[in-house]
Amino acid sequence: MPPPGPVAVVVVRAGRLDPGGAETVAEAVDSGRSRTVLVGDGASSAAAELTGLTETVEVVAFAGFAPAAWARALAPALRGSAFVVLPASAGGRDLAPRLAAELGWPLIPNAVAVSPGCVVVARYGGLVQTTIVPGNPFVTTLEPGVRGTPEVSDVAPPTVVELALELDPSTHDAEVIEELPPDVATMDLTEAPRIVGGGAGLMAGDDVGARFTRLAAVGEAIGASMGATRVVTDAGWVPHQRQIGTTGVVVDPRLYLAFGISGAVQHTAGLGHPDHVIAVNVDPHCPMMAMADLAVVADANATLDALAVRFGVASPEHADV
């Protein structure tokens, strides 16, 4: 009898996979004989996002979000697998520990690579990677943006199989009072669909702090979160949790705007696979400009000032336009 395979479990909200969901499925598929389970509102329609990654998707149509009740309902269907992996998204981080408790398996969070006999986890803000050999089945969460997914075309969507699972109404669960839209100024960069990034090119001259405040304001005007390179965070202009790169956070936005970023490999390796990249730099030959869909050869500070005025977050007398 072949050894048991892994199961990727991904929370679905309003018909969309949680951030990192497709990567989580791809990681499980790489281990062989995997299953994919989508759970939540609109799980069947979200299966199309996994086209080319897996042939069959099992779906559980649960409304709302009740991680304790979901874990109790899902656990019997997950026993016998090699491991269970969820994305380290908001939903995955809520569901994973409850699944681990129901299954009686250890929880290994913050993985950057997963296989049946080995889990590589990131520690100390990504500065250290530790290899864990579980030895027995386990539950883990995979950091979004650490591996990406292959591009596919002319492939039929996966076959959807509905799982008839029942919720236990007696389960004590967290109560959802209200769901608020994400605030781009504070949301986790790993979940941000748009990001404006600032590099060393924004540190020239005086009043650097105000310049990064302006970068955040421009980002907010277009629905983008603000990130930065290591040299900026090391200088103290931006908190380290906003640092993008192999020693910071790994992101995977749909749009990335880079202001004054040269594109060192430590930074670009943490960008995932953005759909669109716009770079502004005085050096037309730097790596960031080479990977950009739109490369603007201009002073990043002046361009940022002009955008701030255009979006109404700065007045002309306070910007060098």
Side-chain angles (χ1 to χ4, degrees):
M1 178 180 296
V7 182
V9 177
V10 182
V11 172
V12 177
R13 300 174 189 267
R16 295 298 304 272
L17 299 178
D18 257 9
E23 291 178 285
T24 299
V25 172
E27 191 76 359
V29 168
D30 284 352
S31 293
R33 299 185 66 252
S34 66
R35 293 168 55 202
T36 298
V37 177
L38 305 185
V39 53
D41 180 25
S44 295
S45 59
E49 297 184 49
L50 302 176
T51 299
L53 295 179
T54 183
E55 295 181 355
T56 303
V57 174
E58 303 170 49
V59 300
V60 185
F62 287 153
F65 184 61
W70 289 13
R72 181 165 294 181
L74 285 168
L78 303 178
R79 294 191 185 279
S81 57
F83 62 85
V84 175
V85 56
L86 302 89
S89 58
R93 291 194 298 266
D94 278 340
L95 185 57
R98 292 170 170 86
L99 272 176
E102 288 290 337
L103 292 166
W105 296 354
L107 172 65
I108 306 174
N110 306 321
V112 296
V114 186
S115 64
C118 176
V119 183
V120 180
V121 298
R123 305 293 193 200
Y124 306 107
L127 296 175
V128 176
Q129 291 188 355
T130 303
T131 300
I132 298 174
V133 180
N136 292 300
F138 57 92
V139 177
T140 186
T141 56
L142 182 72
E143 290 293 312
V146 296
R147 57 157 295 151
T149 56
E151 295 185 4
V152 296
S153 60
D154 300 325
V155 178
T159 301
V160 175
V161 178
E162 294 188 7
L163 293 181
L165 302 181
E166 298 291 335
L167 294 177
D168 183 351
S170 66
T171 305
H172 294 286
D173 219 318
E175 180 182 356
V176 178
I177 304 299
E178 184 181 4
E179 290 192 17
L180 302 175
D183 180 356
V184 295
T186 58
M187 72 184 299
D188 193 325
L189 280 177
T190 62
E191 300 183 11
R194 296 179 179 181
I195 297 176
V196 292
L202 295 184
M203 294 171 58
D206 299 326
D207 209 11
V208 178
R211 197 166 298 133
F212 282 98
T213 299
R214 187 169 299 158
L215 177 65
V218 168
E220 188 171 356
I222 62 172
S225 299
M226 190 265 285
T229 61
R230 180 172 180 173
V231 66
V232 174
T233 60
D234 281 351
W237 297 116
V238 173
H240 277 282
Q241 60 264 34
R242 312 306 289 181
Q243 177 186 325
I244 299 170
T246 53
T247 57
V249 296
V250 178
V251 300
D252 194 19
R254 292 196 292 271
L255 172 65
Y256 185 62
L257 285 79
F259 290 88
I261 296 176
S262 63
V265 66
Q266 292 88 346
H267 179 74
T268 58
L271 285 181
H273 300 81
D275 294 340
H276 303 286
V277 175
I278 299 174
V280 182
N281 205 296
V282 293
D283 180 3
H285 306 294
C286 69
M288 195 77 247
M289 298 285 268
M291 70 178 293
D293 300 290
L294 174 61
V296 180
V297 182
D299 180 75
N301 295 296
T303 303
L304 178 62
D305 288 344
L307 287 173
V309 172
R310 178 60 61 92
F311 291 129
V313 297
S315 56
E317 62 268 23
H318 293 105
D320 181 15
V321 295

